[in-house]
Amino acid sequence: MRISIRKNSALSIFLYTALLLLTGYGVSYYNSELFHGFGKLIWLIIFIFLTLCFSPVRKLIVPLLNFKPFKNPVTYLYMLGGVLIPYLILKLSIHYEVLIDRRLIILSKNGLLDGLQHYPLIEAVIFAPIWEELLFRGVLLFALLKVVKPIWAVLITSVIFSLFHPAYLFIILVAGIVLASIAIRTKSVIPSMVTHSIWNLYTGKLFLFL
């Protein structure tokens, strides 16, 4: 009976993840044509709907939505590392012209990169961290932790996460590993979500000043 329940749970999580990835790709691909730039908001709504539809997913995510880790000062050190490590890699990548998209390096060195404005910045700082952390550091990571060793769970989710950000592939891979480590250490996705939001705020706007 327990084996049957576990199989059904695993199947539900697999189906949920597949639906999210497919709809996420579709929304991203047709963002400008069909959704007039509101793709991330549309996808967040789809994400919430699908999450509510799958009971095993709800049971997996709900315990991870807790703020208790913020009572522990060590959590803030994890979060600081989660921002500083990608920041240093980004700066070194631009300086030595490696690891990131060549076009981005040229634009950055010539001061031609513009910060995000208004709604795109809200998308990057609020919407994206919510669904990406709930999916990658929530559902995928903690589902994998039930069947594989932590190092493999971290690596698999981080590789998938980096594939969603091809321009910064290596940096996002490292960021994914750091964020996954934060989620595992704190047993919550909230600290990684806040860290992710701060990082997106930097790459979306604050890079103009720092």
Side-chain angles (χ1 to χ4, degrees):
M1 183 67 177
R2 289 183 178 177
I3 294 175
S4 177
I5 292 173
R6 286 179 182 176
K7 284 184 177 179
N8 289 335
S9 177
L11 182 61
S12 293
I13 291 173
F14 175 79
L15 179 59
Y16 166 83
T17 304
L19 285 171
L20 282 179
L21 292 175
L22 287 172
T23 54
Y25 176 80
V27 170
S28 176
Y29 187 81
Y30 293 105
N31 185 25
S32 58
E33 296 178 20
L34 296 179
F35 305 113
H36 305 291
F38 288 89
K40 289 183 180 177
L41 176 59
I42 299 296
W43 201 87
L44 180 60
I45 294 171
I46 294 172
F47 177 89
I48 294 171
F49 173 76
L50 288 175
T51 300
L52 292 175
C53 288
F54 288 84
S55 176
V57 176
R58 293 199 307 272
K59 291 178 181 178
L60 193 63
I61 286 180
V62 170
L64 300 174
L65 297 174
N66 72 84
F67 291 82
K68 290 181 180 178
F70 289 102
K71 296 180 180 179
N72 185 350
V74 177
T75 297
Y76 297 95
L77 292 178
Y78 294 151
M79 293 170 63
L80 180 62
V83 174
L84 286 181
I85 292 173
Y87 171 80
L88 291 174
I89 294 175
L90 177 61
K91 288 296 184 181
L92 289 172
S93 297
I94 293 173
H95 180 76
Y96 290 106
E97 300 185 359
V98 294
L99 301 178
I100 62 175
D101 190 292
R102 177 72 180 174
R103 182 178 62 86
L104 292 174
I105 293 173
I106 293 172
L107 290 174
S108 178
K109 285 198 166 185
N110 289 280
L112 299 175
L113 283 175
D114 293 324
L116 297 177
Q117 300 295 324
H118 307 303
Y119 180 74
L121 186 62
I122 292 173
E123 277 192 330
V125 175
I126 298 177
F127 299 155
I130 291 175
W131 76 257
E132 288 184 353
E133 291 309 305
L134 288 175
L135 176 59
F136 295 107
R137 261 66 66 180
V139 178
L140 290 181
L141 178 62
F142 281 84
L144 284 170
L145 285 172
K146 296 177 182 294
V147 294
V148 299
K149 292 181 179 180
I151 187 170
W152 289 113
V154 169
L155 287 175
I156 291 170
T157 55
S158 299
V159 168
I160 297 173
F161 179 57
S162 68
L163 294 176
F164 275 70
H165 307 78
Y168 301 92
L169 199 64
F170 179 76
I171 296 173
I172 298 302
L173 174 64
V174 173
I177 292 172
V178 175
L179 291 170
S181 301
I182 292 173
I184 292 173
R185 296 291 294 180
T186 61
K187 294 181 173 59
S188 170
V189 294
I190 304 299
S192 63
M193 200 178 289
V194 174
T195 305
H196 192 154
S197 181
I198 294 171
W199 173 249
N200 281 8
L201 178 61
Y202 170 73
T203 57
K205 196 71 173 180
L206 297 183
F207 75 89
L208 295 170
F209 314 102
L210 299 173

